[in-house]
Amino acid sequence: MKERIERLKKLTYIPQNEIAWLIEQAELSVKQQEIIEENKRQQEVTVHQFRQAQKDIQQLSGDRKRYKQALEKIITNLTFAITVAQNELEGDVK
């Protein structure tokens, strides 16, 4: 393609078939540029979605940690309450 372009630059008269080829190449170039721009846009969307997913995962991890700590406190309190209740029952039986 470069050779053909260089040859065309040297001509003073450009035949119709060569003009058609140039137009075709220009149209292809425009289509390629549109594809490149669309790919960049899609890449930006994907990066944004990935970053949002990372934030969501961090938030869920924090939530999970807080829920786990709360559940451990509840279990500790229930275990204590059960122990107190068992001691009271044993005291009533004696």
Side-chain angles (χ1 to χ4, degrees), residues 57-72:
I57 289 169
Q58 289 174 347
Q59 181 179 355
L60 290 172
S61 295
D63 290 348
R64 180 182 175 273
K65 185 177 180 180
R66 286 189 294 279
Y67 291 143
K68 183 178 177 184
Q69 290 171 345
L71 185 58
E72 287 171 350

Side-chain angles (χ1 to χ4, degrees), residues 29-91:
S29 178
V30 168
K31 287 179 184 178
Q32 288 173 340
Q33 188 61 37
E34 289 172 353
I35 290 170
I36 289 169
E37 289 172 9
E38 177 62 18
N39 286 343
K40 283 181 182 179
R41 189 191 67 74
Q42 288 178 2
Q43 185 178 23
E44 289 171 0
V45 168
T46 301
V47 167
H48 176 73
Q49 289 174 338
F50 178 76
R51 288 185 178 147
Q52 185 60 47
Q54 280 183 319
K55 287 179 185 177
D56 292 347
I57 289 169
Q58 289 174 347
Q59 181 179 355
L60 290 172
S61 295
D63 290 348
R64 180 182 175 273
K65 185 177 180 180
R66 286 189 294 279
Y67 291 143
K68 183 178 177 184
Q69 290 171 345
L71 185 58
E72 287 171 350
K73 286 180 183 179
I74 291 170
I75 290 171
T76 301
N77 290 340
L78 286 174
T79 303
F80 178 75
I82 290 170
T83 302
V84 169
Q86 286 175 336
N87 290 340
E88 288 179 4
L89 285 174
E90 289 175 3

